[in-house]
């Protein structure tokens, strides 16, 4: 089985006009960064992988994950995790309940509590399970969003300007955490960003759209 994320001759069109074309294989633990100006189609490319391409667009090509063709699978069955610029935590849920949302249904209540507790410990947020997300700092929210996504056991990770709202010092810290977790879990990572420091920190191939 060909492990990793394969974008097999993906070509996106809008109104019949070519927008983005990419043909790449991303190995487990590898990061491929896609850069380019706003509006060129970076986030649209990610929506092809997640199965959420807006109706105004069309595409050809296939998306494969760990050897399985997921092109026609519904989004919830693709096992693709994504982090956005906004943390998108549920404001009406506690930190622990936000994390539990990432877990697959089933398992005992004690098992689910233990997984949430361990996830918080992994990012140095012990004891935060009952906290209101509104009381967290930007960096703490980013860590909770990351662990919620990882608790869903994804097979690939997409980053959509994921570090854009963080200040410089915090950006470097959270970025290092995300890349380390992806390597530890052997996740192929596709990152879109306009920030050259993000691309350099990723250490992998850089694809520049519109160049």
């Amino acid at each position: 089985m060909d492990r990793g994320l394969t974008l097999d001759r993906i070509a996106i069109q809008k109104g019949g006009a070519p927008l983005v074309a990419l043909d790449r294989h991303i190995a487990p633990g590898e990061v491929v960064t896609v850069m380019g100006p706003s509006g060129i189609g970076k986030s649209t490319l990610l929506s092809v992988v997640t199965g959420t391409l807006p109706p105004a667009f069309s595409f050809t090509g296939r998306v494969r994950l760990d050897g399985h063709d997921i092109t026609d699978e519904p989004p919830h069955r693709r096992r693709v995790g994504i982090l956005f610029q906004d943390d998108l935590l549920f404001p009406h849920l506690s930190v622990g309940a936000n994390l539990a949302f990432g877990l697959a249904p089933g398992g005992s209540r004690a098992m689910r509590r233990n997984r949430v507790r361990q996830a918080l410990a992994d990012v140095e947020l012990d004891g935060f399970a009952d906290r209101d997300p509104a009381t967290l700092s930007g960096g703490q929210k980013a860590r909770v969003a990351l662990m919620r996504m990882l608790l869903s056991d994804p097979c690939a990770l997409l980053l959509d300007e994921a570090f854009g709202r963080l200040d410089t010092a915090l950006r470097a810290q959270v970025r290092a955490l995300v890349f380390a977790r992806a390597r530890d879990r052997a996740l192929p990572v596709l990152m879109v960003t306009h920030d050259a420091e993000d691309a350099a920190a990723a250490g992998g191939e850089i694809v520049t759209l519109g160049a």
Side-chain angles (χ1 to χ4, degrees):
M1 182 167 51
D2 194 9
R3 306 289 297 183
L5 177 64
T6 301
L7 306 182
D8 184 6
R9 293 170 290 180
I10 297 295
I12 305 172
Q13 302 85 33
K14 184 177 184 182
L19 184 65
V20 175
L22 192 63
D23 186 42
R24 287 291 188 286
H25 175 72
I26 308 172
E30 179 185 9
V31 183
V32 168
T33 300
V34 175
M35 300 189 71
S38 296
I40 202 164
K42 300 188 301 295
S43 294
T44 307
L45 176 64
L46 297 186
S47 71
V48 168
V49 182
T50 58
T52 57
L53 187 70
F57 301 87
S58 61
F59 78 96
T60 56
R62 310 303 293 176
V63 181
R64 295 185 178 85
L65 183 56
D66 290 342
H68 302 291
D69 190 332
I70 63 169
T71 313
D72 301 317
E73 292 282 355
H76 68 278
R77 294 186 58 186
R78 294 189 176 214
R79 299 196 68 183
V80 174
I82 185 165
L83 290 177
F84 297 97
Q85 188 173 78
D86 296 313
D87 54 71
L88 302 181
L89 298 180
F90 300 116
H92 62 289
L93 298 178
S94 67
V95 168
N98 263 280
L99 286 172
F101 188 85
L103 292 169
S108 69
R109 185 174 297 178
M111 180 274 290
R112 295 172 72 84
R113 270 201 308 267
N114 285 338
R115 288 201 66 188
V116 166
R117 189 180 301 117
Q118 185 58 55
L120 288 170
D122 286 348
V123 287
E124 299 177 356
L125 292 175
D126 299 87
F128 275 62
D130 294 328
R131 289 275 293 271
D132 182 333
T135 67
L136 304 185
S137 68
Q140 290 168 339
K141 289 178 180 178
R143 283 182 274 166
V144 172
L146 169 64
M147 296 314 291
R148 181 179 65 183
M149 184 272 298
L150 291 177
L151 282 172
S152 69
D153 292 327
C155 296
L157 172 56
L158 309 182
L159 303 174
D160 191 356
E161 303 282 2
F163 316 116
R165 285 184 177 269
L166 303 173
D167 64 45
T168 304
L170 196 53
R171 188 181 188 118
Q173 178 188 345
V174 173
R175 189 171 57 204
L177 175 66
V178 171
F179 293 151
R181 287 284 184 267
R183 281 193 303 271
D184 289 346
R185 297 185 180 221
L187 297 178
V189 180
L190 179 60
M191 175 172 70
V192 302
T193 184
H194 64 271
D195 189 283
E197 288 189 12
D198 287 350
E205 181 187 6
I206 299 173
V207 178
T208 303
L209 301 180

